[in-house]
């Protein structure tokens, strides 16, 4: 049996998100978002590259400052977390986390639960499709098939959104983060090979955009 979330109310999640926004504005030099178009009346899978401790915070920041900004009728925020981590940190349930235990029979239950969430318009599910930690400048993103297993269970309309998140220092002692968003279509036209191709083309283009820096004094 999986550990299911027991999230705070949407108002509390939004309040905590605003505190997070303030904190990240203090911690980082700049946070710049290149938005992806958000479709109305859908649920959403937000995916991004997985390269460090801050990834969950970056995901929350993008969802609040980009997805919520375009679709303020979001009803819930969810993430999948390893069962071992959930047992050590049960507070994760309060921010929408539910468990998955790779290699066990409960994996199917976790995937079914993710699909159940995504059947409801306005629900947002965060996923790191690489699974493993890799440099943000890696030249190939390996999209694991878990996303396909979830989407084939979804009965409603679900949009996929990707963001290539890049960290640079340039002129500052504090790092700057750039979020390069991409609309990856919906579950109705989903194809894993096409998704992988689109993400990798976008990711390589995002890296190239980081190569040149003009200091505006």
């Amino acid at each position: 049996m999986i550990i299911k979330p027991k999230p705070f109310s949407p108002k509390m999640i939004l309040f905590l998100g605003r505190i997070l926004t303030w904190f990240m504005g203090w911690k980082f030099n700049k946070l710049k978002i290149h938005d992806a178009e958000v479709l109305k009346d859908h649920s959403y899978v937000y995916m991004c590259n997985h390269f460090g401790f801050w990834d969950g915070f970056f995901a929350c920041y993008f969802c609040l400052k980009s997805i919520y900004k375009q679709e303020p009728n979001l009803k819930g925020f969810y993430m999948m977390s390893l069962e071992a981590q959930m047992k050590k940190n049960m507070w994760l349930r309060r921010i929408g986390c539910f468990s998955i235990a790779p290699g066990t029979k409960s994996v199917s239950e976790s995937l079914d639960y993710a699909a159940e969430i995504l059947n409801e318009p306005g629900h947002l599910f965060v996923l790191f499709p690489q699974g493993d930690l890799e440099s943000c400048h890696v030249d190939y993103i390996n999209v694991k098939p878990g996303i396909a297993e979830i989407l084939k269970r979804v009965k409603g309309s679900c949009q996929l959104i990707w963001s290539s998140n890049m960290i640079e220092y340039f002129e500052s002692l504090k790092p700057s983060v750039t979020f390069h968003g991409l609309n990856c279509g919906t579950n109705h036209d989903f194809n894993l090979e096409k998704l992988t191709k689109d993400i990798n083309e976008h990711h390589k283009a995002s890296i190239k955009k980081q190569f040149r820096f003009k200091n505006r004094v």
Side-chain angles (χ1 to χ4, degrees):
M1 182 177 292
I2 68 170
I3 303 171
K4 294 184 178 180
K6 191 176 181 181
F8 290 119
S9 69
K11 287 185 178 180
M12 177 59 73
I13 292 292
L14 182 59
F15 173 73
L16 293 174
R18 286 173 174 161
I19 293 176
L20 174 66
T21 298
W22 170 83
F23 173 73
M24 292 184 71
W26 169 75
K27 193 72 176 177
F28 293 89
N29 180 39
K30 297 175 185 176
L31 297 111
K32 184 176 182 179
I33 293 177
H34 299 284
D35 290 308
E37 178 189 7
V38 175
L39 303 177
K40 301 292 184 182
D41 301 318
H42 283 63
S43 59
Y44 308 96
V45 176
Y46 169 70
M47 304 170 289
C48 61
N49 50 324
H50 194 24
F51 60 90
F53 169 83
W54 284 98
D55 292 342
F57 296 96
F58 293 153
C60 293
Y61 187 89
F62 184 94
C63 291
L64 180 64
K65 301 295 283 186
S66 180
I67 299 176
Y68 177 75
K69 184 178 179 181
Q70 297 180 66
E71 178 50 273
N73 294 317
L74 291 180
K75 299 176 182 177
F77 178 89
Y78 299 89
M79 298 178 72
M80 193 181 285
S81 180
L82 291 173
E83 183 181 89
Q85 297 228 354
M86 291 283 294
K87 288 180 177 179
K88 292 178 182 178
N89 303 283
M90 292 301 287
W91 59 269
L92 290 171
R93 298 176 66 201
R94 302 297 286 163
I95 58 171
C97 290
F98 61 96
S99 70
I100 186 168
T104 69
K105 293 181 180 179
S106 67
V107 167
S108 181
E109 186 182 353
S110 296
L111 299 177
D112 287 340
Y113 187 74
E116 181 183 328
I117 288 169
L118 293 170
N119 282 331
E120 181 70 27
H123 282 176
L124 193 158
F125 174 56
V126 174
L127 181 68
F128 301 105
Q130 291 163 275
D132 302 317
L133 286 171
E134 299 179 310
S135 167
C136 63
H137 297 102
V138 69
D139 61 2
Y140 183 79
I141 302 290
N142 181 27
V143 179
K144 295 190 175 180
I147 180 64
E149 292 298 319
I150 292 172
L151 291 181
K152 72 181 184 182
R153 292 167 162 83
V154 176
K155 298 176 182 177
S157 294
C158 174
Q159 182 186 7
L160 286 77
I161 298 170
W162 167 267
S163 175
S164 289
N165 303 334
M166 303 287 169
I167 287 187
E168 305 285 359
Y169 280 81
F170 292 125
E171 86 285 18
S172 176
L173 292 175
K174 289 185 177 182
S176 292
V177 187
T178 306
F179 303 81
H180 300 272
L182 175 69
N183 175 8
C184 296
T186 73
N187 58 315
H188 300 303
D189 55 12
F190 175 78
N191 178 278
L192 183 59
E193 289 184 6
K194 183 179 184 301
L195 175 67
T196 302
K197 179 176 179 289
D198 291 345
I199 284 176
N200 277 283
E201 288 179 353
H202 177 76
H203 189 70
K204 289 175 183 177
S206 300
I207 292 174
K208 287 182 179 179
K209 290 177 183 177
Q210 300 289 118
F211 284 170
R212 296 290 180 263
F213 173 73
K214 293 181 179 179
N215 189 12
R216 295 177 176 84
V217 179

